[in-house]
C-alpha cells in the first residue's frame, strides 16, 4: 500500500504545482511559439521558417547545425579512445582521472574560450613561448578553432557515457568471440560497437543539443571570427538596437523545436535500443595487457587532453590576471597581485558585481530549494499521470536552451497586460535563475526521496505522529543532504550564469559573469580574468565541498 504524507491533499498539491509550473515554465515557451507563429494578425505554422529565409538567417541556421555535427565528430575522436583506455586497460584504477576530466565540463564555456583566445592570438602566450607558432594563429581563429574549443569543453560528457557502457560489457562476450577465432578488430566491430551504439547515439544527440544551445563560445570566439549561430543572433536581436522580437522569436522557436525533437529521439533510442549487460553471475572485466610503448602512448594521449582542455585555458586566465602590462608579455617582473586588490577594494564596481552575484544566487538557490522540494515530494515516484506531468514540467528547463526560456520570460513579464511590474528589476533576475536551475534541486531531492523506505513514514504515523511532525522529524532530515546538494549546485551555476544575466539584468547592475564579459570586450583583460579566477575558484571549492559532503553521507 502506497504511503503518502499528504494523502488527503495530494490532488490539491498536485494541481497547485501544475498551475505554478505552467505559469513559470510552460507559459514562456508557449509565448515564444505563439509570437513566432502568429504574424500579421493570423496564424502561420511556417512563419518562423519564412522569416528566417526572407531575413537571410538561413545561413545562421545552417551554421548551428553544421557546428553541432562537427562537434559530435570531434568529441567522438577525443572521447572514444579515452573511454576505451579508462575501461579496458590497467589505467582504469586511476579514479582521480575521472574527477580531473570533469573540470573542462564544469568550466563556464565563455571563460574557457577566453583562455584559448589569449593563448593563441597574435602576440599571445603561444607566440611568446614559440615565435614560429605565429603561422598557426590564422588557422586557429577559424571555424576549426571554434569546433576544437567546444569539443574540448564537451568531450568529458561523451567520455563518461562511453566508459560506463564499456565497463558494463562483460569480458566473457569478447572471450567467447576470441575462442572462436575473432580478432581484436572483429570483436570491436561485431560486439563492442553494437553494444555501445545506444549510449553513443544518446550521447551524440545530447552533445548536438548542448552545442546548438551554447551561447558563451559563440558570443566570444564566434563573434571574433565572424561565425554567427542562432543563440548569438537571438541575443543580438533582443539586446541591440533596433530590437526585433519577430526575428528573435523565430530563431528561438526553431531552436526550441530542434532541441525537443532531439530529446525525443534520444529518449526513444534509449528505451528501445538498449541491452541487458549485467546479469546475476556478474561480469568478467577484461583488462588488456600493455607493453611499455602502450603505457607511454596512453599516458601521452591523456596528458595532451589534459593540457589542451585544462592546462592551456587556465594558464592563460591565471597569467592574464597577474600581468601588469599586457604589452610587456611574460616576465617575472611583470607579474602582480594588484588586479586582485583592485577587484576586491570596497566600493569598487568589481566587488559590487561579485556581491551582486552572491546575493542573487543565494536568494535564487533558496527559493529553488523550497520549490524543488515541494515538486519532488509531489512527484514522489512518478506513478500517476499528474505526477509525471509535474516531473516533466519541473525538468523541462534542463532540456531546452536557456536563451529560449529567457526570451519567453522577457515577453511574458514585459507584456502590457501583466499586472506585476517585475521586468527590469532584481526580482526578474531571481525568477529567471530559479526557473533555469530548478531541475537540479528537483533531481537531487528526488534521488534522496527514492532512497527512503516508505515504512519509516508509516512507522511515524502508526506511533501517533501527525503529518507535520513526521515531515519535520523524519522526512526533512532524510531529505536534507539532497536539498543541500541542490542548493549548492544551483548557487554554483547561478553565480556564473552569463546569457540570462546579459538579457534580464537592470541597466545599472552587473554580476561577475557580465563583468568578465564586459571587461574582456573592452580590453581590460587583466581585471576580467582576475574575476574569472575568483569565480571559478569559489565554485570549485563549493563543488568539492559538496562531493565530500555526499561521500560522508554515503559512508554514514
Amino acid at each position: 500500500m502506497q504511503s503518502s504524507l499528504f494523502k488527503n491533499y495530494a490532488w490539491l498539491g498536485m494541481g497547485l504545482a501544475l498551475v505554478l509550473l505552467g505559469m513559470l515554465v510552460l507559459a514562456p515557451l508557449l509565448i515564444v511559439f505563439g509570437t513566432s507563429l502568429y504574424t500579421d494578425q493570423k496564424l502561420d505554422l511556417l512563419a518562423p521558417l519564412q522569416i528566417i529565409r526572407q531575413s537571410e538567417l538561413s545561413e545562421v541556421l545552417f551554421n548551428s547545425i553544421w557546428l553541432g555535427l562537427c562537434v559530435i565528430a570531434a568529441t567522438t575522436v577525443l572521447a572514444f579512445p579515452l573511454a576505451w583506455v579508462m575501461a579496458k586497460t590497467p589505467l582504469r584504477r586511476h579514479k582521480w582521472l575521472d574527477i580531473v576530466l570533469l573540470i573542462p565540463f564544469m568550466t563556464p564555456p565563455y571563460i574557457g574560450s577566453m583562455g584559448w583566445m589569449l593563448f593563441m592570438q597574435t602576440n599571445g602566450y603561444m607566440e611568446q613561448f614559440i615565435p614560429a607558432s605565429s603561422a598557426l594563429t590564422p588557422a586557429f581563429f577559424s571555424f576549426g578553432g571554434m569546433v576544437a574549443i567546444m569539443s574540448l569543453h564537451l568531450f568529458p560528457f561523451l567520455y563518461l557515457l562511453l566508459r560506463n557502457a564499456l565497463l558494463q560489457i562483460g569480458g566473457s562476450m569478447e572471450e567467447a568471440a576470441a575462442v572462436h577465432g575473432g580478432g581484436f578488430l572483429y570483436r570491436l566491430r561485431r560486439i563492442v560497437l553494437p553494444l555501445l551504439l545506444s549510449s553513443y547515439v544518446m550521447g551524440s544527440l545530447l552533445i548536438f543539443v548542448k552545442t546548438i544551445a551554447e551561447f558563451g563560445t559563440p558570443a566570444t570566439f564566434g563573434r571574433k571570427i565572424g561565425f554567427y549561430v542562432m543563440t548569438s543572433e537571438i541575443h543580438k536581436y533582443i539586446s541591440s538596437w533596433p530590437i526585433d522580437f519577430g526575428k528573435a522569436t523565430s530563431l528561438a522557436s526553431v531552436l526550441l523545436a530542434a532541441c525537443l525533437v532531439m530529446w525525443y529521439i534520444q529518449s526513444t533510442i534509449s528505451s528501445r535500443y538498449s541491452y541487458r549487460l549485467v546479469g546475476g553471475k556478474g561480469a568478467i572485466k577484461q583488462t588488456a595487457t600493455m607493453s611499455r610503448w602502450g603505457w607511454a602512448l596512453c599516458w601521452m594521449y591523456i596528458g595532451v587532453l589534459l593540457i589542451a582542455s585544462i592546462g592551456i585555458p587556465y594558464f592563460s586566465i591565471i597569467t592574464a590576471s597577474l600581468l601588469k602590462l599586457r604589452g610587456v608579455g611574460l616576465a617575472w617582473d611583470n607579474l602582480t597581485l594588484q588586479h586582485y586588490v583592485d577587484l576586491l577594494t570596497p566600493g569598487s564596481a568589481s566587488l559590487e558585481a561579485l556581491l551582486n552575484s552572491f546575493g542573487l544566487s543565494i536568494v535564487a538557490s533558496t527559493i529553488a530549494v523550497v520549490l524543488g522540494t515541494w515538486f519532488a515530494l509531489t512527484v514522489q515516484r512518478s506513478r500517476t499521470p499528474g505526477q509525471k506531468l509535474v516531473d516533466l514540467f519541473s525538468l523541462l528547463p534542463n532540456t531546452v536552451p536557456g536563451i529560449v526560456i529567457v526570451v519567453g520570460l522577457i515577453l511574458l513579464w514585459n507584456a502590457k497586460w501583466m499586472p506585476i511590474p517585475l521586468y527590469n528589476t532584481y526580482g526578474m533576475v531571481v525568477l529567471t535563475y530559479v526557473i533555469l536551475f530548478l531541475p537540479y534541486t528537483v533531481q537531487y531531492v528526488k534521488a534522496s526521496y527514492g532512497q527512503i523506505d516508505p515504512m519509516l513514514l508509516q512507522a511515524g504515523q502508526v506511533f501517533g505522529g501527525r503529518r507535520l511532525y513526521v515531515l519535520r522529524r523524519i522526512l526533512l532530515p532524510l531529505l536534507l543532504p539532497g536539498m543541500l546538494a541542490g542548493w549548492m549546485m544551483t548557487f554554483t551555476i547561478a553565480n556564473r550564469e552569463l546569457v540570462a544575466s546579459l538579457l534580464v539584468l537592470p541597466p545599472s547592475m552587473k554580476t561577475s559573469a557580465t563583468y568578465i564579459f564586459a571587461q574582456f570586450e573592452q580590453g581590460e583583460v587583466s581585471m576580467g580574468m582576475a574575476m574569472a579566477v575568483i569565480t571559478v575558484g569559489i565554485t570549485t571549492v563549493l563543488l568539492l565541498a559538496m562531493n565530500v559532503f555526499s561521500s560522508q553521507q554515503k559512508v554514514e
Side-chain angles (χ1 to χ4, degrees):
M1 181 177 179
Q2 183 181 1
S3 174
S4 174
L5 289 176
F6 308 104
K7 187 174 181 180
N8 297 331
Y9 306 98
W11 288 105
L12 177 61
M14 191 180 304
L16 291 175
L18 285 173
V19 170
L20 184 59
L21 286 170
M23 293 174 55
L24 296 179
V25 179
L26 194 60
L29 299 179
L30 293 177
I31 284 181
V32 170
F33 271 127
T35 305
S36 63
L37 297 178
Y38 194 76
T39 59
D40 297 329
Q41 305 300 319
K42 63 179 180 179
L43 181 65
D44 186 358
L45 298 178
L46 298 178
L49 295 177
Q50 292 175 357
I51 291 176
I52 290 175
R53 179 177 57 84
Q54 295 171 0
S55 304
E56 298 181 352
L57 292 175
S58 55
E59 182 180 356
V60 173
L61 178 60
F62 174 79
N63 287 345
S64 298
I65 296 174
W66 179 237
L67 179 63
L69 295 176
C70 290
V71 171
I72 288 175
T75 52
T76 301
V77 172
L78 296 176
F80 184 79
L82 181 64
W84 189 87
V85 167
M86 295 300 294
K88 297 296 185 179
T89 72
L91 269 70
R92 69 183 180 195
R93 67 173 180 266
H94 297 285
K95 302 296 184 182
W96 59 271
L97 281 173
D98 289 336
I99 300 176
V100 174
L101 288 167
L102 284 177
I103 294 177
F105 190 65
M106 297 304 298
T107 302
Y110 62 94
I111 292 180
S113 63
M114 289 175 183
W116 267 105
M117 291 169 68
L118 292 172
F119 190 80
M120 293 298 298
Q121 67 185 0
T122 303
N123 297 323
Y125 305 128
M126 181 70 172
E127 289 189 15
Q128 295 180 42
F129 284 123
I130 309 173
S133 64
S134 59
L136 299 177
T137 300
F140 177 79
F141 284 92
S142 63
F143 174 74
M146 187 170 179
V147 171
I149 291 174
M150 300 189 77
S151 301
L152 288 170
H153 170 67
L154 291 172
F155 85 89
F157 184 81
L158 185 59
Y159 152 72
L160 289 176
L161 285 175
L162 295 178
R163 189 211 59 176
N164 291 337
L166 284 170
L167 288 174
Q168 296 297 329
I169 299 176
S172 57
M173 300 180 185
E174 296 185 61
E175 288 180 358
V179 167
H180 288 83
F184 172 76
L185 293 178
Y186 178 86
R187 299 196 302 271
L188 181 67
R189 177 171 55 89
R190 298 303 298 271
I191 297 177
V192 176
L193 292 182
L195 293 176
L196 282 179
L197 182 61
S198 175
S199 296
Y200 173 72
V201 172
M202 179 176 67
S204 298
L205 293 176
L206 295 181
I207 292 290
F208 182 85
V209 170
K210 289 180 177 295
T211 300
I212 65 174
E214 174 57 44
F215 172 77
T217 303
T220 52
F221 191 87
R223 184 185 303 177
K224 176 79 172 180
I225 65 174
F227 188 86
Y228 303 104
V229 296
M230 285 190 285
T231 52
S232 59
E233 291 299 284
I234 292 171
H235 174 262
K236 184 184 76 172
Y237 289 124
I238 290 292
S239 61
S240 302
W241 186 262
I243 294 176
D244 193 331
F245 282 106
K247 292 180 181 178
T249 54
S250 296
L251 287 171
S253 61
V254 171
L255 179 60
L256 176 59
C259 291
L260 292 178
V261 168
M262 289 298 173
W263 279 106
Y264 175 77
I265 295 174
Q266 176 265 325
S267 61
T268 301
I269 291 175
S270 61
S271 62
R272 294 186 180 181
Y273 301 98
S274 59
Y275 304 94
R276 295 182 179 178
L277 300 176
V278 180
K281 296 181 179 180
I284 301 174
K285 294 185 178 179
Q286 190 178 48
T287 302
T289 57
M290 293 193 303
S291 63
R292 291 183 178 179
W293 286 105
W295 278 91
L297 186 62
C298 289
W299 277 114
M300 186 181 302
Y301 182 74
I302 293 174
V304 170
L305 272 182
L306 293 179
I307 291 173
S309 60
I310 303 173
I312 289 177
Y314 278 95
F315 169 82
S316 302
I317 293 166
I318 295 172
T319 301
S321 70
L322 297 174
L323 290 180
K324 294 179 184 177
L325 298 172
R326 292 179 59 200
V328 176
L330 295 172
W332 287 111
D333 58 355
N334 194 35
L335 300 181
T336 181
L337 294 174
Q338 187 60 40
H339 302 301
Y340 291 93
V341 176
D342 295 340
L343 190 146
L344 299 176
T345 299
S348 63
S350 53
L351 182 60
E352 183 180 353
L354 192 62
L355 294 177
N356 285 339
S357 291
F358 286 164
L360 292 170
S361 300
I362 289 172
V363 174
S365 302
T366 304
I367 296 175
V369 163
V370 175
L371 292 178
T373 303
W374 173 29
F375 295 148
L377 291 177
T378 302
V379 169
Q380 296 183 10
R381 291 171 175 83
S382 300
R383 293 177 178 175
T384 67
Q387 290 174 330
K388 292 180 180 179
L389 277 178
V390 174
D391 193 18
L392 173 64
F393 291 162
S394 64
L395 299 181
L396 193 58
N398 208 21
T399 62
V400 300
I403 194 170
V404 175
I405 295 180
V406 174
V407 171
L409 289 172
I410 293 174
L411 293 174
L412 175 64
W413 293 97
N414 196 32
K416 295 180 179 179
W417 48 265
M418 178 59 66
I420 305 175
L422 193 62
Y423 182 71
N424 210 22
T425 64
Y426 290 3
M428 181 68 181
V429 186
V430 172
L431 177 66
T432 303
Y433 286 174
V434 169
I435 294 173
L436 287 177
F437 309 124
L438 179 65
Y440 295 104
T441 300
V442 175
Q443 288 286 62
Y444 279 112
V445 177
K446 274 179 58 181
S448 295
Y449 185 85
Q451 297 173 359
I452 299 175
D453 192 334
M455 294 182 64
L456 291 173
L457 309 181
Q458 293 173 359
Q461 292 176 320
V462 167
F463 284 93
R466 296 180 179 274
R467 294 185 183 88
L468 291 179
Y469 179 86
V470 175
L471 173 68
R472 180 170 55 88
R473 298 301 299 271
I474 298 178
L475 186 57
L476 287 182
L478 293 175
L479 293 179
L480 186 60
M483 295 170 64
L484 289 177
W487 189 95
M488 294 180 70
M489 181 61 72
T490 303
F491 175 84
T492 298
I493 301 178
N495 194 45
R496 61 194 195 189
E497 169 60 27
L498 178 62
V499 62
S501 302
L502 286 173
L503 291 176
V504 301
L505 278 178
S508 60
M509 186 180 186
K510 288 186 180 296
T511 63
S512 57
T514 60
Y515 180 86
I516 295 170
F517 188 79
Q519 296 300 308
F520 190 83
E521 291 292 306
Q522 296 169 8
E524 296 290 337
V525 175
S526 295
M527 289 296 292
M529 294 303 99
M531 179 69 83
V533 171
I534 291 176
T535 302
V536 173
I538 292 173
T539 55
T540 301
V541 170
L542 288 175
L543 289 174
L544 290 175
M546 185 177 67
N547 289 332
V548 172
F549 180 78
S550 300
S551 300
Q552 291 177 349
Q553 291 295 323
K554 291 179 180 179
V555 171
E556 294 175 0

